[in-house]
Amino acid sequence: MKPTPRISIYDGHLIDPANGIDAPFDVHIQDGHIVALGTAPANFQPTLSISAANQIVCPGFIDLAARLREPGQEFKATIASETIAAAASGITTLCCLPDTQLAIDTPAVAKLIRQQAERTGKTRVLPVGSMIRGSNGESLSDMAALHEAGCLAVSNVAFPFKNTLIERHALEYAASFGLTCILQPIDYALQDHGCVHEGHIGARLGLPSIPETAETVALARDLLLAEAIGSKIHIHALSTAKGAILFGRSRYQNTALSADVAIHQLHLTEDHVDGFDSNCHVLPPLRNVADREALRQAIAKGHITAICSDHQPHEPDAKTNPFPVTEPGISGLETLLPLTLKLVHEGILDLSTAIERLTWGPACCLGLSLGRLEEGTIADVCIFDPNISWHVDKTKFLSRGQNTPFHGWDLKGQVNWTILEGYPTFQRHQNL
Amino acid sequence: MLDTHNLQLDQNGRLRHFLTIEGLNKALLTEILDTADSFAAVAERKVKKVPLCHGKIVVNLFFETSTRTRTTFELAAKRLSADVLNFNASTSATAKGETLLDTLRNLEAMHCDMFIVRHKDSGAAHFFARHAAPNVSILNAGDGRHAHPTQAMLDMLTIRRHKQDFSKLCVAIIGDLLHSRVARSQILALNTLGVEEIRTIAPRTLLPTQIESLGVKVYYNLQQGIKDVDVIIVLRLQKERMAYGLLPSEHEYFRLFGLTEDRLSQAKPDAIIMHPGPLNRGVELSSQVADSNRSVILQQVSNGIAVRMAIIAMALGNTKATS
């Protein structure tokens, strides 16, 4: 067991949206917890002093959707490789969705993921259990056992419900134990074998297309079932304007509802697919400009309270094929913060709101007591320089996945320190 | 990422690959048609060959079955005196699990000069072009629903031989545009050559959403759609379209969208009828129409050889038919 460091972070600008703090404050950490903001407690002797001059100090980021590929696809990435990349991106907590090749539909897989993550110790990994066991779509998983094995939430992303009745039963069963259900709204029949948005690019390039109704029809069904059952649901990866509006209306009546959006949906559109760029092959697909604007507005207004990386690392071969047969997904951990800050630079969000969407926002979606910094809370901290410019170079990614459409972009904002439960897990230019 | 324009043309604006009509200007399309005209006479000669591509190796790389397109490409390349290799994907290494990229690399290692590619996935020709060695040309012989540019150009040659001036023409395309790479390339070519109007005629299930963005007018009624048109292009209806609830039956389709003598009276008296083949008589059009003197379907096939000769020769950098 490493000795617990006593850390003072001084001269930084603290932004803690949960407590409405946006001001210069020193932060003092001991025994893995925040012991004081501002003046250090009497007789506090730090073993590590970090100067955060001209930098932002904020809660460590919480990423609600990342694929770590383990167990089953270690040729793409491992829990070790991806949690190191997450730590370097200021992320202290990430949710591993259950669609690993060996799905998280049994407690053994959930435990395996937690153990591997704890062994590396770089990021807190929260496995999300599958609501369905096996691919037949009709057997409920042992959700209570998954919960006991550390799954704080369950989800439909690994195996779709065979029909609406099974979905109803799964939601009812999860609600019996107060489990949050992370639902990705997809009508698989409408999605068919589509790989791009049903719009002008799909029409021109002759790529099988996915209509917006593949999202909205499923979303309406999910929202209505959840309302009838009274279950706590979180909608994952909204991609359409209509979806955002539909969700916003329901949330007006039920503030317990929450949703996230993948960061790439806030910057890219179907037009980026032109030229058959397989790095822009994602599901749900990149939509049109109006959809992107509506999602940006929903994030700005707080209808959608979390931005996730939707990290999906791939080996190069997975993207080296004609567009429709490439595997969907973007390696997104290392661009999560700078792309969120780009929304600040473009005047969409203020800095505090941007940080809230990466910290307190996602924490509230799952009822986590993380994502805030006050005396007594767990010391998950990120220190970053919001103004430093850098050139995205996929070959320098720490993630095994170099599949990014942002390669070559110039972005602002770089993490200098990440602290997890009082331990530094990342320091720029240092190998921790 | 290279855009399509940069991928297809060299720094002097000459054809390097031929992947799609998109990004090619009217002058280049006209040059293809003119070159094809100059090659047409070769077929009339006693010795149906010119030595323009002597010593070049052209590979027919077909991952999807084809009779007409593969045969006419083979004939075209042979008339240019190239050596032709037919690569059958169903018996090749690809069927044994080799990746597309490895297949390409292996064939390149045999010093081939040109690959004529057909593949079931949209974007496959772009994929090959992006990864091909600098001295190798890729011709798209059909990729998924995306493009079939040589078919479009042989159709343009057929239209030009009958109608001369593109600028006054109204062209109707009937049938399954959703799944048709032929139609997408035809629409791009017709718009680039400056026709007055393009109409698409089909039930909504067979039209891509936002097809209007390609520069066409949409009709759901055949009689209205072909009123006063100069050219009617009938697309093939694939049988499997009934399976996904896109159409109720062939019978209903023919009743509403089948081209018959009676309906043809709506079009201009000198309207020509085209079809990329293979025909489904009694589904897309009646036998009387298919065999009528307005039908130019077999001329399309002959023109296919001349057009493909032109494109192969242009991409391999030698087009003088007189030698």
Side-chain angles (χ1 to χ4, degrees), chain B residues 66-128:
Chain B
S66 157
T67 313
R68 173 177 343 226
T69 305
R70 192 184 57 71
T71 314
T72 51
F73 264 117
E74 185 173 349
L75 263 176
K78 284 181 171 167
R79 284 191 184 168
L80 292 167
S81 308
D83 293 318
V84 181
L85 200 71
N86 283 314
F87 179 94
N88 185 344
S90 61
T91 56
S92 74
T94 315
K96 297 173 191 160
E98 186 176 74
T99 68
L100 278 187
L101 199 55
D102 286 334
T103 302
L104 176 71
R105 296 262 184 274
N106 276 281
L107 289 167
E108 276 179 352
M110 301 173 199
H111 303 289
C112 302
D113 299 288
M114 173 176 281
F115 295 99
I116 297 166
V117 181
R118 169 170 285 194
H119 195 277
K120 68 175 174 49
D121 289 310
S122 303
H126 278 71
F127 171 80
F128 280 110

Side-chain angles (χ1 to χ4, degrees), chain A residues 138-324:
Chain A
E138 54 188 349
S139 309
L140 300 192
S141 67
D142 295 347
M143 286 185 240
L146 284 166
H147 185 41
E148 285 156 24
C151 296
L152 296 179
V154 288
S155 171
N156 69 340
V157 303
F159 305 115
F161 304 113
K162 188 178 181 187
N163 55 45
T164 316
L165 179 65
I166 300 293
E167 175 169 6
R168 178 194 167 174
H169 290 160
L171 287 168
E172 285 176 335
Y173 191 76
S176 316
F177 310 104
L179 281 168
T180 302
C181 300
I182 299 177
L183 298 179
Q184 182 164 7
I186 300 173
D187 184 307
Y188 286 89
L190 285 171
Q191 177 165 291
D192 201 16
H193 294 99
C195 59
V196 292
H197 173 59
E198 187 175 272
H200 73 111
I201 292 291
R204 187 156 57 77
L205 296 184
L207 288 167
S209 301
I210 303 174
E212 70 173 14
T213 48
E215 173 168 299
T216 51
V217 168
L219 177 63
R221 182 194 60 211
D222 294 345
L223 291 170
L224 290 167
L225 282 172
E227 185 192 341
I229 295 161
S231 48
K232 168 88 176 76
I233 65 167
H234 171 80
I235 301 294
H236 168 54
L238 279 176
S239 70
T240 64
K242 286 252 173 69
I245 292 165
L246 192 60
F247 174 80
R249 266 190 228 140
S250 291
R251 191 170 186 274
Y252 183 72
Q253 294 166 334
N254 176 9
T255 50
L257 280 175
S258 61
D260 67 61
V261 60
I263 185 64
H264 52 256
Q265 294 285 3
L266 299 172
H267 290 286
L268 305 177
T269 64
E270 59 180 329
D271 295 286
H272 289 88
V273 172
D274 208 356
F276 299 102
D277 183 357
S278 62
N279 279 320
C280 289
H281 181 189
V282 288
L283 287 178
L286 299 173
R287 303 285 185 178
N288 63 31
V289 175
D291 291 310
R292 183 183 63 182
E293 291 315 305
L295 291 171
R296 286 177 160 199
Q297 286 306 311
I299 274 286
K301 288 178 182 161
H303 298 159
I304 300 175
T305 49
I307 299 174
C308 69
S309 69
D310 203 14
H311 178 65
Q312 298 182 37
H314 284 295
E315 79 284 14
D317 280 353
K319 291 287 188 183
T320 312
N321 251 326
F323 190 95

Side-chain angles (χ1 to χ4, degrees), chain B residues 281-317:
Chain B
R281 288 166 185 260
V283 180
E284 300 124 14
L285 72 181
S286 69
S287 279
Q288 292 93 321
V289 172
D291 300 331
S292 73
N293 57 5
R294 290 166 155 203
S295 161
V296 296
I297 295 168
L298 294 176
Q299 294 169 39
Q300 288 174 267
V301 180
S302 312
N303 290 341
I305 300 167
V307 159
R308 287 170 178 138
M309 284 175 77
I311 293 164
I312 292 170
M314 285 169 74
L316 291 177

